[in-house]
Amino acid sequence: MTAPVRCVLLSSTLDLAGLFGPVLAGIADAVEAVPHPAPEPETVRLALAWFPPADAFARYPDLRAVCSIAAGVDSLLACPGLPAGVPVVRVVDPEQALAMSCFVLWHVLGHLRRFRTYAENQARALWRPLGQRAAGEVTVGLLGYGRMGARVAADLAALGFPVLAWSRSPRAPEAGVDLLSGESGLADLLPRTDVLVNLLPLTPQTRGILNAGLFARLKPGATLVQVGRGDHLVEGDLLAALDGGRLAGAALDVFATEPLPPAHPFWRHPKIVVTPHEACDASPQAVAAMLCATAQAISAGLPVPNAVDVARGY
Ligand code: NDP
């Protein structure tokens, strides 16, 4: 039996031992989790990280992989101390993609069936049928067609929504989904979109992509579902687009500053729904499974699974 792989827990914002303690105990024969600063740092091969402290990695000279606790790795790649050449691994979990799909469906169906207006009418005891629309009348544009986007697209298409999806690289067509890529693909998608769902990773190319220029190209009266990362959005541009009537509403799950400060105008805006970055967390079990698979590959001298392309940023 191989010795457990030593894994240091690195976060400046979360208590990883508290969050993942029970599942880490369950995989102790494969992964030995140790707090930072770990004794005998030269024996540490693995790090589990989320917003790691900038200087933490310098202590561990023989790391073989750094694992995110999430599907996104932007908080790791942004760390100036991240050692070059060490694979960065993300959580890939179909259950998480399903949870994301449920979250997006909640907002798309709410838009289709005008949930917000019914809630306002109920508060006024107002019996006013608003008329029904078919799913086929609401086109959903997805920015990002990766693990999350593909699941969301398939579920929306199965319900009858026309789906346009945008990725970096061109793809073969899939049932019920119109796949677009590049600048021309975005130019095609935006004016046809009633509900825009952001499922992009945060990279230098996608930072600030949700801005006034993009909103101006959407179908007038479109709605935004923002589940990527807070820094995709230029917040002032969203408020202007909502207040000017260009956009009808926005559901925001991620923010430039989290937790969203109590005085932030998003909280009380009548056209905005705020949720606290929990469209779909990676489950502790999925994090444990990722650590075990990574540790197994390290012990066998094999490439670690689900490593991102660090140069590409996702
Ligand atoms: P993937 O890496 O599987 O997919 C990313 C998709 O974005 C791919 O289709 C990729 O294109 C596309 N993309 C990347 N850069 C560009 C670009 N410059 N132009 C056009 N398309 C681009 O990621 P996931 O689907 O797993 O997750 C996506 C993001 O969702 C995460 O990075 C995270 O930010 C967010 N997320 C949010 C959660 C929440 O709770 N709010 C939970 C989980 C994830 P290509 O296919 O060509 O590579």
Side-chain angles (χ1 to χ4, degrees):
M1 196 175 132
T2 50
V5 171
R6 295 192 85 207
C7 174
V8 67
L9 308 181
L10 299 178
S11 179
S12 56
T13 60
L14 294 177
D15 170 16
L16 297 182
L19 276 174
F20 297 108
V23 289
L24 291 172
I27 59 168
D29 55 342
V31 176
E32 182 199 353
V34 288
H36 173 70
E40 301 178 72
E42 66 287 350
T43 65
V44 172
R45 299 282 175 270
L46 191 53
L48 180 66
W50 184 251
F51 288 97
D55 59 352
F57 290 108
R59 182 176 170 84
Y60 306 103
D62 200 10
L63 279 179
R64 309 292 169 84
V66 180
C67 293
S68 173
I69 62 164
V73 292
D74 42 292
S75 90
L76 278 54
L77 300 188
C79 178
L82 185 72
V86 175
V88 174
V89 176
R90 74 190 190 107
V91 177
V92 173
D93 176 22
E95 292 297 320
Q96 189 184 9
L98 172 60
M100 176 63 88
S101 184
C102 290
F103 186 88
V104 171
L105 282 170
W106 166 38
H107 288 296
V108 174
L109 291 169
H111 173 84
L112 173 72
R113 298 312 302 261
R114 300 184 176 94
F115 174 78
R116 214 174 167 80
T117 310
Y118 283 119
E120 286 162 10
N121 289 353
Q122 181 177 348
R124 295 155 59 205
L126 193 60
W127 181 276
R128 181 179 290 166
L130 299 172
Q132 292 176 23
R133 289 185 292 184
E137 296 173 58
V138 171
T139 297
V140 183
L142 299 178
L143 303 183
Y145 190 69
R147 300 286 183 150
M148 301 288 156
R151 174 70 207 229
V152 172
D155 291 343
L156 286 166
L159 287 175
F161 290 95
V163 180
L164 311 171
W166 187 60
S167 63
R168 203 174 50 89
S169 42
R171 295 283 176 80
E174 286 192 29
V177 183
D178 195 354
L179 295 177
L180 306 162
S181 64
E183 264 313 307
S184 62
L186 188 60
D188 186 5
L189 177 145
L190 293 173
R192 296 159 65 194
T193 291
D194 295 293
V195 181
L196 184 73
V197 182
N198 176 38
L199 278 162
L200 289 167
L202 183 65
T203 69
Q205 289 72 37
T206 64
R207 183 179 294 273
I209 191 170
L210 301 176
N211 58 37
L214 180 140
F215 298 145
R217 293 195 284 162
L218 278 169
K219 195 188 274 191
T223 288
L224 173 69
V225 180
Q226 154 63 330
V227 280
R229 286 288 183 263
D231 286 335
H232 284 132
L233 176 67
V234 180
E235 295 187 344
D237 288 4
L238 175 66
L239 290 170
L242 290 169
D243 294 342
R246 178 79 212 177
L247 290 184
L252 309 176
D253 185 56
V254 287
F255 304 89
T257 303
E258 295 181 1
L260 188 64
H264 198 289
F266 286 170
W267 280 116
R268 288 163 200 87
H269 197 287
K271 295 180 178 173
I272 291 178
V273 174
V274 169
T275 49
H277 195 156
E278 62 167 7
C280 62
D281 290 336
S283 69
Q285 291 72 20
V287 170
M290 168 192 63
L291 287 175
C292 284
T294 308
Q296 203 175 9
I298 290 171
S299 298
L302 295 170
V304 294
N306 296 319
V308 302
D309 181 335
V310 171
R312 201 178 56 172
Y314 70 99

